[in-house]
Amino acid sequence: MFIYLCKKIAIPGNVRLRCISWNKDQGFIACGGEDGLLKVLKLETQTDEAKIKGLAAPSNLSVNQTLEGHSGSVQVVTWNEQYQKLTTSDQNGLIIVWMLYKGAWYEEMINNRNKSVVRSMSWNADGQKICIVYEDGAVIVGSVDGNRIWGKDLKGTHLCHVAWSSDSQVLLFGMANGDIHIYDNQGNFIVKMKLSCLVNLTGAFSIAGIHWYHGTEGYIEPDCPCLAVCFDNGRCQIMRDENDHNPVLIDTGMNVVCIQWNHCGSVLAVAGSLKATSQDKDVNIVQFYTPFGEHLRTLKVPGKQISALSWEGSGLKIALAVDSYIYFANIRPDYKWGYCSNTVVYAYTRPDRPEYCVVFWDTKNNEKYVKYVKSLISITTYGDFCVLATKADENQPQYVLVLCNSIGTPLDPKYIDIGPLFVTMTKTHVIAASKEAFYIWQYRVAKKLTAVEINQVARTRKEGRERIYHIDDTPSGSADGHLDYSRAIEGTRDPICAITASDKMLLVGRESGTIQRYSLPSVALVQKYTLNCRAYQLSLNCNSSRVAIIDLSGVLTIFNLDTRVVDSTGQQVIGEQLKLERKDVWDMKWAKDNPDLFAMMEKTRMYVFRNLDPEEPIQTSGYICNFEDLEIKSVLLDEILKNPEHPNKDYIINFEIRSLRDSRALIEKVGIEESSQFIEDNPHPRLWRLLAEAALQKLDLQTAEQAFVRCKDYQGIKFVKRLGNLQSESMKQAEVAAYFSRFEEAERMYLDMDRRDLAIGLRIKLGDWFRVLQLLKTGSGDSDDALLEQAHNAIGDYFADRQKWLNAVQYYVQGRNQERLAECYYMLEDYQGLENLANSLPENNKLLPDIAYMFVRVGMCEQAVSAFLKCNRPKDAVDTCVHLNQWNKAVELAKNHNMKEIGSLLARYASHLLEKNKILDAIELYRKANYFFEAAKLMFKIADEEAKKRTKPLRVKKLYVLSALLIEQCHEQIQNAQRGKVKGKDSEWRWETSCVCCNRRTYPGVSILDVQRM
């Protein structure tokens, strides 16, 4: 993050301020001071036009109201945002609740105990309750409507601070002696808080502030510290909850006055003073920390003594009460974001989810894709790809680098054992660095892999595609740098503080000011440079000849990497710091196509530099996405993250640099010939293309062709050639209009020339089939019928792609697209329509099997069989019957079509029946299919089982008789088959055996139904 002072407001009468509070929802600022001073201010809100232009938030006052009512010094002011109330208290113990009515603040309630002074007041998270603590130990909890809920007198204690937990179940009371007591929400004592930050400290100290972030905007990490306690001696502890025995400990090294979290709990501001080494007086400073104790920035504030601070609701400004002034500082947050392939990738937290919500917003098509990522550390982008650095597991020190494409699809994850504090990427490498070591991964993506390479992916580690180096090592570019994490976790006296890379080199900045240069892809230490500052951000230009350095205080310098100069000792050294220094810089980007061109953000202005000479600034507060073709693309992340679920294309802004603006103005005012000389003197492909386009507009084909040649636009050259072959001027003008995407104008010109065919062709190229259909209906022609069908089908495809099947059906019917029509009927579950379609198709149509299978998938056997038979596929019909357990139908079809595999089919059906213990049904099946011998075997089996039971002898006899009848039928079948031949011995034997079994008696007229009735 970067912070700078932007405005100062003086309080009339030089009245010293004691407290300040910024309403997070409505934007009002309440400040209290001596002699009963109480003012409510409000900065002007930004207009929509200013937002879209990317202008910084205004700092003029729209509300400036003095509230009368206090006589003593106002010491406490606190807002209730939910109910639009302001509660204030003075040194006499007078409490006033103010309400907003018609844009102004009026007194609503007054309370005065007349016994002691109020030291602190705090509303709970939902604004329903307020807790007021008095210096003499009295505690009052009241409701928002002024009723007292409970009160308690903590005798023998002096209170100075109070804070609610996010769930309103716990109250923290800060004592004047530095202790913090934990109470429940009914005033019952629970336990005394353990203060780890004061261990081994002696002497008197007091609490400077207690602030408990309530999670209203979500947390930056699961189980994130959110309760901050700070003492006037500079010791601070940040806890996960009131009972956290392992808090984050910070020694700020300053005399602390107050603390406050920002709107999302990601930054803690600690305000106070620091004894200056060279001066006798103290210096006012504000220190900024993460919830994990990492120091972010230091802001020096003028004045004698700072007394209070408060954040704005969006976290983009901070208000500081210093003496009789209010200072405002702008904050440029380090958002987790990136830009790749027309896609803005940004992350934000939500109160309903523990993960980061990462949005891939395609700015070209205005489509967004959302991923939820746990413990996200950073987002890095290059070209078409993005790398998300995350923690692998909360309990283990392992991290993941996830390579994604521009819609958030993970392509390749890599697990590493060093914390990726700094990540950069090129078109071939991802480099991640901790403070002690850096890891290099040569990534590949699927579209670049050959079949052979895909098989080698498993062996990539062995091939050295992943390497790790300690910052103190001196790699030579050979096969060193294998994945040995034991060396990587060793400490160093000079930690890494920034990295950047190009295709040729890797630069690693160290806290001492040294920059180490390594070659890529073979990692060898080539050079060391010494700077006079500690780098915070490094950036290489497009040909890797210069590096831009932004240091911790926001000073930008440029360093030439290859220049040889003589230093003060007379020795020749490589590398030279150029004579450019800019302060308050928080973002910069080199042009992709010009090594001398870069853009930078300085406070709320964007400057473009060419050869270290600045152009006039542009007022904006956007983050720079891309700088190419003399155009800068900037994104207003502040505005997008106010409503991150619905990004607006108006918040992407394109700025043209001066040479492009001047060339455009020259062409418009002076003419093409004179402008071509200016572009000749300031050559750039973008300017030549601008000239070519202007020449095309005026049909100056010769100049246009020359300009297209200069900018190496082969398609443009071909277009000019094609224009030269046209005879009609109006035809040329129409083609030029189409080239510049003025399609309505081009179509109108084609129609005026009575060339409806060209207008239709234009719309076909654009894929505007609705307009094609309109144009076709306005005329007639032999080829129109085929085009009409094509148009209807294309519109049907349009609706089908959007799953509007009913609309698609109407157009497919008119386009006679039976294949897609079948698909639509199937998706609509209109099986009657599908059946009618199948009936209307001729025999052996190639679509019939597909329709049949659609019926099979929904279990409609009869319709499926009908479709299969119509396309002469009886086997598939039989298989369908078997699949859907329609065995009778299957056997019938097999018999009707004399299928050879009827035996196996019958066997499967019979086994199916036997599994269900339907033996008589299986016998009936075999009998109907003339498989008498198999039927007889089953009947004999039943008869034998009945005989063993020795019950109903008549039933047993009938079963044997029926078996004999089946054998007789089998015998007759064999005789018919072998008529004129010798009777088979095996058949005679079976016949005699069966006759013996039934005592050579026959009972004609007995059937299986008779057996079932027995």
Side-chain angles (χ1 to χ4, degrees):
M1 62 175 287
F2 182 73
I3 183 166
Y4 60 91
L5 294 170
C6 61
K7 186 177 178 64
K8 180 172 83 169
I9 296 175
I11 301 300
N14 291 327
V15 178
R16 184 180 177 81
L17 293 173
R18 301 291 297 274
C19 52
I20 191 167
S21 183
W22 204 325
N23 185 310
K24 303 292 185 289
D25 290 345
Q26 287 90 30
F28 293 103
I29 303 165
C31 56
E34 295 174 349
D35 303 328
L37 171 81
L38 179 62
K39 291 182 81 68
V40 174
L41 314 171
K42 189 176 183 181
L43 297 177
E44 279 183 355
T45 55
Q46 209 170 3
T47 63
D48 290 338
E49 185 181 357
K51 284 181 187 176
I52 290 169
K53 287 181 179 177
L55 302 182
S59 50
N60 297 324
L61 293 176
S62 63
V63 174
N64 185 358
Q65 182 183 358
T66 302
L67 306 186
E68 305 287 344
H70 289 287
S71 56
S73 174
V74 177
Q75 295 181 329
V76 185
V77 291
T78 181
W79 290 100
N80 183 336
E81 282 101 350
Q82 288 84 349
Y83 291 91
Q84 294 189 6
K85 293 181 187 295
L86 171 64
T87 312
T88 60
S89 175
D90 61 25
Q91 68 184 53
N92 302 320
L94 175 66
I95 301 172
I96 303 178
V97 179
W98 309 83
M99 60 177 283
L100 181 66
Y101 178 71
K102 292 186 177 178
W105 293 90
Y106 297 94
E107 219 175 72
E108 184 185 21
M109 289 181 276
I110 295 181
N111 180 286
N112 197 344
R113 251 181 94 235
N114 293 318
K115 289 184 179 180
S116 180
V117 60
V118 174
R119 282 298 174 201
S120 182
M121 297 185 290
S122 177
W123 289 94
N124 69 345
D126 60 8
Q128 296 278 354
K129 298 176 186 176
I130 187 172
C131 183
I132 304 166
V133 295
Y134 290 83
E135 191 176 47
D136 64 357
V139 178
I140 296 174
V141 174
S143 66
V144 68
D145 53 9
N147 295 321
R148 182 171 173 149
I149 299 174
W150 59 266
K152 198 175 184 73
D153 194 2
L154 306 180
K155 292 181 179 177
T157 61
H158 294 281
L159 298 174
C160 60
H161 287 279
V162 64
W164 288 92
S165 65
S166 58
D167 59 2
S168 304
Q169 297 299 306
V170 172
L171 278 165
L172 303 182
F173 294 132
M175 310 295 173
N177 64 0
D179 290 341
I180 297 176
H181 292 185
I182 304 171
Y183 282 71
D184 69 12
N185 61 358
Q186 298 302 314
N188 302 311
F189 177 75
I190 300 175
V191 73
K192 184 177 172 182
M193 182 182 285
K194 182 183 177 183
L195 298 171
S196 305
C197 63
L198 299 179
V199 173
N200 300 326
L201 280 183
T202 57
F205 39 78
S206 61
I207 300 170
I210 304 173
H211 195 197
W212 204 332
Y213 169 60
H214 290 158
T216 49
E217 297 288 330
Y219 296 92
I220 60 171
E221 210 173 279
D223 200 28
C224 181
C226 55
L227 168 57
V229 178
C230 200
F231 293 84
D232 62 350
N233 62 3
R235 295 298 180 95
C236 183
Q237 71 181 46
I238 309 177
M239 310 167 71
R240 287 158 184 82
D241 54 53
E242 70 277 12
N243 299 314
D244 188 359
H245 294 295
N246 188 27
V248 175
L249 303 179
I250 305 171
D251 185 0
T252 62
M254 56 189 274
N255 297 318
V256 180
V257 174
C258 64
I259 62 171
Q260 194 176 63
W261 288 108
N262 69 344
H263 70 299
C264 62
S266 62
V267 180
L268 177 69
V270 182
S273 59
L274 190 67
K275 182 72 75 176
T277 53
S278 59
Q279 302 172 3
D280 293 334
K281 63 177 184 177
D282 293 346
V283 177
N284 295 317
I285 61 169
V286 183
Q287 306 264 35
F288 296 88
Y289 295 90
T290 70
F292 302 98
E294 180 190 347
H295 180 257
L296 294 172
R297 289 279 172 173
T298 299
L299 175 69
K300 290 183 181 179
V301 184
K304 291 182 181 178
Q305 186 179 0
I306 188 168
S307 55
L309 70 82
S310 187
W311 287 86
E312 184 218 10
S314 64
L316 299 176
K317 281 182 182 290
I318 195 166
L320 308 165
V322 184
D323 303 331
S324 58
Y325 298 95
I326 300 174
Y327 286 90
F328 291 95
N330 277 346
I331 290 164
R332 307 311 302 139
D334 281 336
Y335 294 117
K336 291 177 170 61
W337 80 286
Y339 180 80
C340 60
S341 185
N342 293 314
T343 299
V344 176
V345 186
Y346 59 90
Y348 67 98
T349 54
R350 288 171 46 165
D352 59 334
R353 295 196 70 119
E355 311 99 330
Y356 267 95
C357 181
V358 182
V359 179
F360 291 78
W361 175 37
D362 183 348
T363 58
K364 195 173 184 180
N365 302 318
N366 203 22
E367 295 177 349
K368 64 185 181 72
Y369 309 88
V370 179
K371 280 175 70 73
Y372 291 98
V373 180
K374 212 170 184 180
S375 303
L376 179 70
I377 298 170
S378 65
I379 295 172
T380 310
T381 53
Y382 186 91
D384 297 336
F385 302 101
C386 157
V387 168
L388 306 179
T390 70
K391 267 188 181 177
D393 190 356
E394 295 169 28
N395 305 318
Q396 294 180 354
Q398 197 175 35
Y399 304 86
V400 195
L401 301 175
V402 185
L403 181 70
C404 301
N405 62 13
S406 60
I407 61 171
T409 306
L411 303 175
D412 195 3
K414 291 293 176 193
Y415 287 79
I416 58 174
D417 293 341
I418 62 169
L421 300 178
F422 315 99
V423 183
T424 187
M425 69 184 296
T426 69
K427 65 181 179 184
T428 53
H429 289 82
V430 172
I431 300 105
S434 64
K435 289 192 173 182
E436 302 82 19
F438 58 92
Y439 160 90
I440 297 181
W441 163 32
Q442 185 179 351
Y443 68 90
R444 301 183 189 183
V445 287
K447 69 177 185 180
K448 296 179 182 176
L449 290 178
T450 65
V452 176
E453 288 173 323
I454 289 170
N455 296 326
Q456 294 174 347
V457 166
R459 300 197 300 274
T460 52
R461 282 182 183 261
K462 295 179 183 177
E463 292 169 6
R465 276 185 52 214
E466 292 177 71
R467 289 165 288 175
I468 192 161
Y469 300 89
H470 193 275
I471 189 61
D472 294 332
D473 290 344
T474 308
S476 61
S478 57
D480 50 9
H482 54 87
L483 282 175
D484 179 12
Y485 284 104
S486 59
R487 170 72 175 136
I489 58 176
E490 293 178 12
T492 178
R493 291 184 178 181
D494 191 5
I496 297 171
C497 61
I499 63 171
T500 188
S502 68
D503 295 339
K504 300 176 183 177
M505 69 176 72
L506 164 67
L507 296 181
V508 180
R510 304 182 73 170
E511 289 186 2
S512 64
T514 301
I515 291 183
Q516 295 182 189
R517 172 177 171 178
Y518 299 86
S519 61
L520 285 179
S522 60
V523 181
L525 182 59
V526 176
Q527 189 69 40
K528 287 187 179 182
Y529 307 98
T530 303
L531 304 178
N532 299 322
C533 63
R534 174 183 164 182
Y536 176 73
Q537 182 182 327
L538 298 173
S539 181
L540 279 163
N541 66 352
C542 62
N543 66 357
S544 304
S545 61
R546 291 177 177 178
V547 61
I549 303 128
I550 301 176
D551 68 10
L552 274 172
S553 55
V555 175
L556 171 73
T557 52
I558 306 292
F559 194 83
N560 204 324
L561 294 170
D562 299 319
T563 306
R564 295 180 181 271
V565 294
V566 178
D567 63 6
S568 57
T569 61
Q571 293 182 336
Q572 190 181 62
V573 294
I574 298 174
E576 178 191 14
Q577 185 163 319
L578 302 180
K579 294 179 180 178
L580 174 76
E581 187 176 293
R582 304 290 296 203
K583 295 180 180 178
D584 295 323
V585 177
W586 51 271
D587 193 17
M588 73 86 57
K589 184 78 74 175
W590 289 98
K592 285 185 177 180
D593 46 17
N594 188 332
D596 299 323
L597 205 58
F598 68 90
M600 52 154 264
M601 296 299 306
E602 185 179 292
K603 292 187 176 179
T604 55
R605 295 181 296 275
M606 179 193 289
Y607 287 90
V608 176
F609 282 78
R610 182 191 291 273
N611 292 322
L612 306 185
D613 296 324
E615 295 182 1
E616 65 275 10
I618 302 165
Q619 195 79 10
T620 181
S621 56
Y623 288 72
I624 303 170
C625 294
N626 194 37
F627 188 0
E628 194 174 12
D629 273 351
L630 307 182
E631 278 190 323
I632 301 166
K633 189 184 286 283
S634 178
V635 56
L636 303 181
L637 285 173
D638 300 335
E639 301 302 325
I640 287 172
L641 287 166
K642 287 177 183 175
N643 188 9
E645 294 181 18
H646 302 96
N648 187 339
K649 285 185 83 171
D650 291 336
Y651 297 147
I652 299 288
I653 310 172
N654 291 309
F655 299 102
E656 295 183 345
I657 75 167
R658 188 171 62 194
S659 58
L660 183 57
R661 295 196 304 270
D662 291 350
S663 300
R664 197 184 299 279
L666 270 175
I667 290 168
E668 288 174 0
K669 294 176 182 177
V670 180
I672 291 173
E673 289 183 13
E674 292 79 359
S675 305
S676 62
Q677 186 57 48
F678 172 79
I679 295 171
E680 189 79 48
D681 297 336
N682 301 275
H684 191 281
R686 180 73 178 88
L687 299 181
W688 285 116
R689 190 159 66 249
L690 186 70
L691 182 66
E693 289 170 356
L696 273 180
Q697 298 274 26
K698 297 186 177 180
L699 295 181
D700 183 351
L701 301 186
Q702 185 179 354
T703 306
E705 185 176 5
Q706 290 171 355
F708 276 132
V709 168
R710 294 295 294 270
C711 65
K712 299 176 183 177
D713 186 345
Y714 181 66
Q715 299 299 328
I717 297 167
K718 284 185 68 177
F719 178 70
V720 172
K721 294 284 188 188
R722 188 157 59 85
L723 280 184
N725 294 330
L726 297 176
Q727 303 301 318
S728 166
E729 287 293 311
S730 54
M731 184 72 78
K732 289 179 182 178
Q733 289 171 356
E735 289 288 331
V736 168
Y739 180 83
F740 287 113
S741 301
R742 300 197 305 269
F743 303 117
E744 300 294 332
E745 182 185 336
E747 181 191 305
R748 189 169 60 252
M749 294 169 80
Y750 284 137
L751 292 175
D752 291 343
M753 289 184 283
D754 199 21
R755 290 301 302 271
R756 189 172 61 99
D757 58 322
L758 293 178
I760 291 171
L762 173 66
R763 290 299 176 180
I764 290 174
K765 285 179 186 175
L766 295 173
D768 185 358
W769 291 98
F770 291 94
R771 181 61 183 154
V772 170
L773 197 58
Q774 289 178 350
L775 290 170
L776 286 169
K777 289 180 178 177
T778 59
S780 59
D782 294 338
S783 61
D784 283 3
D785 291 342
L787 268 176
L788 267 172
E789 274 193 20
Q790 189 182 354
H792 283 127
N793 287 327
I795 296 172
D797 291 340
Y798 170 85
F799 286 119
D801 289 343
R802 287 153 183 77
Q803 298 185 356
K804 296 180 179 180
W805 307 108
L806 210 56
N807 294 352
V809 163
Q810 300 171 13
Y811 286 97
Y812 284 140
V813 167
Q814 294 179 73
R816 293 186 284 200
N817 192 335
Q818 294 159 334
E819 187 175 343
R820 295 307 300 272
L821 197 56
E823 184 184 337
C824 291
Y825 282 141
Y826 182 69
M827 298 304 293
L828 286 167
E829 299 180 10
D830 182 1
Y831 302 117
Q832 186 59 51
L834 196 59
E835 187 178 357
N836 293 339
L837 177 62
N839 293 335
S840 67
L841 291 173
E843 290 186 0
N844 295 321
N845 188 284
K846 65 177 182 179
L847 188 57
L848 283 169
D850 294 335
I851 294 175
Y853 283 121
M854 289 179 187
F855 285 128
V856 171
R857 284 195 287 271
V858 294
M860 298 177 69
C861 181
E862 188 178 337
Q863 291 84 347
V865 166
S866 174
F868 276 129
L869 293 179
K870 194 168 184 180
C871 61
N872 197 23
R873 291 171 68 166
K875 185 179 182 306
D876 289 330
V878 171
D879 290 342
T880 296
C881 294
V882 171
H883 176 66
L884 298 174
N885 288 330
Q886 301 294 321
W887 294 95
N888 287 335
K889 185 76 174 172
V891 171
E892 183 184 340
L893 285 170
K895 283 177 66 178
N896 293 343
H897 291 84
N898 297 321
M899 295 177 67
K900 294 179 181 178
E901 55 272 4
I902 190 168
S904 62
L905 182 64
L906 285 168
R908 284 164 60 195
Y909 185 19
S911 63
H912 169 76
L913 292 171
L914 291 171
E915 281 173 11
K916 296 186 176 182
N917 205 24
K918 296 181 178 179
I919 300 175
L920 292 174
D921 291 343
I923 293 169
E924 180 70 6
L925 170 70
Y926 278 131
R927 197 180 68 80
K928 284 184 176 179
N930 295 331
Y931 277 64
F932 301 113
F933 183 65
E934 282 76 6
K937 282 199 293 186
L938 289 175
M939 189 61 76
F940 272 121
K941 185 178 177 183
I942 294 174
D944 287 342
E945 287 174 358
E946 290 293 327
K948 287 174 185 175
K949 293 178 185 177
R950 296 186 177 277
T951 57
K952 297 184 180 178
L954 183 61
R955 174 183 170 84
V956 174
K957 198 171 188 177
K958 287 182 177 179
L959 287 169
Y960 279 121
V961 169
L962 191 52
S963 302
L965 286 171
L966 290 168
I967 288 293
E968 186 177 357
Q969 286 178 292
C970 175
H971 184 71
E972 289 175 1
Q973 188 182 41
I974 293 169
Q975 281 183 328
N976 293 335
Q978 296 181 345
R979 186 172 292 135
K981 297 180 181 178
V982 180
K983 293 179 181 178
K985 293 180 182 179
D986 189 50
S987 298
E988 287 181 359
W989 177 82
R990 286 182 188 169
W991 167 248
E992 288 166 2
T993 305
S994 62
C995 288
V996 169
C997 291
C998 61
N999 295 325
R1000 293 181 175 81
R1001 293 181 60 186
T1002 57
Y1003 292 83
V1006 181
S1007 69
I1008 289 174
L1009 283 173
D1010 296 325
V1011 175
Q1012 287 174 328
R1013 292 193 196 102
M1014 291 180 195

